[in-house]
Amino acid sequence: MTSITSLTLSASDGAASDFYRTALGPGTPVRTGAGAPGSGFRGFILGVDVATSAGVDLLHANALALGADDLKAPKKQLWGGYSGVVRGPDGTIVKLAATGKATADDDSAVTRTVLLLGVADVKATQRFYAEHGLTVAKSFGSKYVEFEPQDGAVTLALYKRAALAKDVGVAPEGTGGHGLVIGWDAAPATDPDGFELSPSPVRQP
């Protein structure tokens, strides 16, 4: 089965290069590389799950101290979850969410990294990834799909682009490239929404 092992974000300065490792911890599957992303909404967000609301608060505060912009302060959501949203120095939008599942020592330890793609046609993009070896874990028709992470470091999920932008409080319009290369253990490919996928068999330590 195919799995996604890393995410490489376009970043042009040292602050962005250091941000994700410092903000999310040394085990993060997020890397930075050369290149300039587009402007406005780039069609994806990075989801970061921790155990508790206190962990969300701590990661949120740390991210702001490291240069992130505050898009949504952490709070309890109508559906019962607890989350906040920041924008990293490179422009990547990061949603911090509590799972409600306690861990042994560190409330702010990242328990799951999720790549949420905003796509034009959820079913068409689902077929693309299924045909390339990813296994569907959850599916809600044309609204939301989540894939099994297998032994990879990243869970992939699909939303409609406008719905994803609304969820994090930004306009859905954007120009230029995504500023993202998805690393997986399969051949190079480009998905229906123009996201680049590249072989990445070795996980970032």
Side-chain angles (χ1 to χ4, degrees), residues 35-125:
S39 60
F41 184 51
R42 289 157 53 187
F44 72 94
I45 69 169
L46 181 64
V48 174
D49 291 349
V50 296
T52 66
S53 57
V56 170
D57 290 340
L58 181 57
L59 277 188
H60 181 267
N62 288 346
L64 296 188
L66 290 165
D69 296 323
D70 188 9
L71 296 185
K72 284 189 175 183
K75 67 176 183 179
K76 187 174 182 180
Q77 305 299 320
L78 293 176
W79 45 268
Y82 187 88
S83 64
V85 182
V86 299
R87 181 162 42 212
D90 64 309
T92 297
I93 296 173
V94 182
K95 184 174 184 178
L96 309 168
T99 64
K101 299 177 181 178
T103 56
D105 300 311
D106 186 359
D107 284 349
S108 65
V110 175
T111 59
R112 186 173 75 147
T113 302
V114 185
L115 174 63
L116 300 107
L117 300 183
V119 303
D121 186 329
V122 170
K123 289 186 177 180
T125 306

Side-chain angles (χ1 to χ4, degrees), residues 130-157:
E131 289 169 357
H132 283 77
L134 273 72
T135 301
V136 174
K138 300 177 183 177
S139 177
F140 298 92
S142 60
K143 294 183 178 180
Y144 177 78
V145 172
E146 183 178 303
F147 295 90
E148 293 281 0
Q150 301 297 329
D151 293 327
V154 180
T155 298
L156 176 67

